[in-house]
Amino acid sequence: FRGVPKDVRLKKADLREHIHQSSKGNQLKWEKDGIWYKADYTGYEGLAEYMVSQLLRYSTLDAKEYVLYETERIVYADHEYSGCSSQDFREDKEWQVITAERLFRRKYNQSLYISMFRIRETKERLKFMVNQVVRMTGLSDFGQYMSKLITIDALFLNEDRHTHNIAFLWDGYDEYRYCPIFDQGASLLADTTVDYLLEKDVIDLIGTVEAKTFSRSFEEQLDIAEQLYGDTIQFQYGEHEIRELLGQDQVYAEDVKKRVYTVLMQQRRKYQYLFK
């Protein structure tokens, strides 16, 4: 139990321009003493980051494969924000984060996203991206990595997985590593400003969420990824773990947490085969 969080006070010197732009705009982001902070932009992104990452602890992923987030109250320029924090996952600061989109543009001077969507079939889009990334980085098991992302996005309704936030660690020369899985803030109906208003019915809203990576359908993406690259993750959480994690948060309102609980339980029922 974290107790009541102290306000994190940040200065202009801590402000950072973040390269992983969301399709819904950019959150304010800061870095201080090796910790990254993000302010909510359209709703409860910080709670979504926290819940998804903490629930990944109850999966077959290794702890090094994902970034853990905590919820935070952030004070900046006399304004108070809700949001989240995470450790800088670059163990060696000489390595830089490079997105799949930027990598493809450097290699071919073309957009990876546009190139993929010139392809008619969803399955062929996924194969195209995987083959291109393997060719550019030498990461031969990128298909399995991509299948993990697609599984997580389907289960947690991450509507903002695109070529600008699929990223790698790069030494600046010719060596690449996987970034731990990060950036889940567009999950769990977190946008309460535009698309998923709090007063709307949760079950109805779940049916309107669309994927962005290779298809509008989470189910289609997941079926194809599993066909091509296998079932890559299993989960072990249930109602108890969800309630416990929500209870530990001291930043977000109860109506928001109630909605997150409903979404998580509904998605767990839908994807029962992913649970041991």
Side-chain angles (χ1 to χ4, degrees):
F1 183 73
R2 297 180 63 215
V4 178
K6 296 180 179 178
D7 292 346
V8 177
R9 296 187 176 274
L10 299 169
K11 301 177 181 178
K12 189 173 182 179
D14 305 318
L15 194 64
R16 299 289 182 267
E17 182 178 356
H18 200 58
I19 61 173
H20 311 299
Q21 183 172 355
S22 165
S23 62
K24 294 191 174 183
N26 272 339
Q27 297 169 271
L28 285 172
K29 302 174 182 74
W30 304 264
E31 189 272 330
K32 182 178 180 181
D33 299 329
I35 306 292
W36 281 90
Y37 299 89
K38 294 195 294 186
D40 290 342
Y41 185 70
T42 63
Y44 52 82
E45 294 97 325
L47 184 62
E49 295 275 23
Y50 162 72
M51 288 301 296
V52 173
S53 70
Q54 295 292 334
L55 288 172
L56 290 180
R57 294 168 58 206
Y58 301 95
S59 77
T60 52
L61 292 177
D62 185 271
K64 292 183 179 181
E65 291 187 79
Y66 54 90
V67 177
L68 277 176
Y69 291 85
E70 297 287 354
T71 56
E72 300 285 357
R73 282 201 296 257
I74 299 165
V75 177
Y76 175 74
D78 296 325
H79 294 281
E80 184 175 299
Y81 302 89
S82 55
C84 61
S85 64
S86 63
Q87 293 278 345
D88 190 335
F89 56 74
R90 296 172 303 154
E91 295 180 4
D92 186 339
K93 298 303 187 290
E94 297 301 315
W95 288 66
Q96 59 183 287
V97 177
I98 185 167
T99 67
E101 182 67 30
R102 183 178 161 212
L103 190 59
F104 192 82
R105 284 184 180 274
R106 287 181 66 254
K107 181 74 172 178
Y108 300 109
N109 198 31
Q110 296 181 46
S111 165
L112 174 58
Y113 185 81
I114 292 173
S115 298
M116 283 195 317
F117 276 86
R118 290 194 180 114
I119 300 169
R120 186 179 183 88
E121 300 295 328
T122 301
K123 187 174 187 177
E124 297 306 313
R125 290 174 189 157
L126 174 54
K127 288 168 65 176
F128 172 80
M129 181 179 182
V130 168
N131 290 339
Q132 290 298 325
V133 168
V134 171
R135 185 177 294 119
M136 291 185 293
T137 66
L139 297 170
S140 59
D141 57 350
F142 179 67
Q144 286 73 33
Y145 178 84
M146 202 64 234
S147 184
K148 291 175 183 178
L149 289 182
I150 290 170
T151 304
I152 292 167
D153 291 346
L155 180 60
F156 297 110
L157 294 175
N158 183 1
E159 62 168 347
D160 202 36
R161 180 76 61 200
H162 48 74
T163 55
H164 288 284
N165 64 20
I166 298 168
F168 310 90
L169 290 169
W170 178 43
D171 70 350
Y173 299 97
D174 56 6
E175 188 174 349
Y176 297 86
R177 300 173 185 169
Y178 293 115
C179 284
I181 296 166
F182 68 102
D183 205 357
Q184 318 289 341
S187 304
L188 306 176
L189 308 181
D191 175 7
T192 60
T193 303
V194 179
D195 290 331
Y196 313 116
L197 303 181
L198 277 174
E199 61 266 25
K200 299 292 185 180
D201 181 79
V202 174
I203 305 304
D204 289 343
L205 288 175
I206 286 174
T208 69
V209 185
E210 294 182 345
K212 283 192 175 69
T213 321
F214 305 102
S215 164
R216 291 181 179 179
S217 168
F218 289 107
E219 292 81 3
E220 182 186 20
Q221 289 189 160
L222 184 54
D223 286 346
I224 289 169
E226 290 174 343
Q227 290 170 23
L228 291 173
Y229 307 112
D231 298 341
T232 50
I233 313 179
Q234 291 286 307
F235 295 86
Q236 294 178 300
Y237 67 82
E239 179 179 3
H240 172 76
E241 288 77 15
I242 293 170
R243 287 190 181 278
E244 185 174 50
L245 287 168
L246 288 170
Q248 289 174 4
D249 166 68
Q250 299 294 305
V251 174
Y252 290 87
E254 288 303 315
D255 59 340
V256 168
K257 291 196 278 189
K258 181 179 179 181
R259 180 158 93 161
V260 167
Y261 168 83
T262 302
V263 174
L264 287 168
M265 290 301 295
Q266 183 72 11
Q267 290 299 101
R268 191 191 185 287
R269 284 189 288 270
K270 180 175 182 177
Y271 292 103
Q272 285 184 15
Y273 77 96
L274 292 175
F275 289 78
K276 290 185 177 180

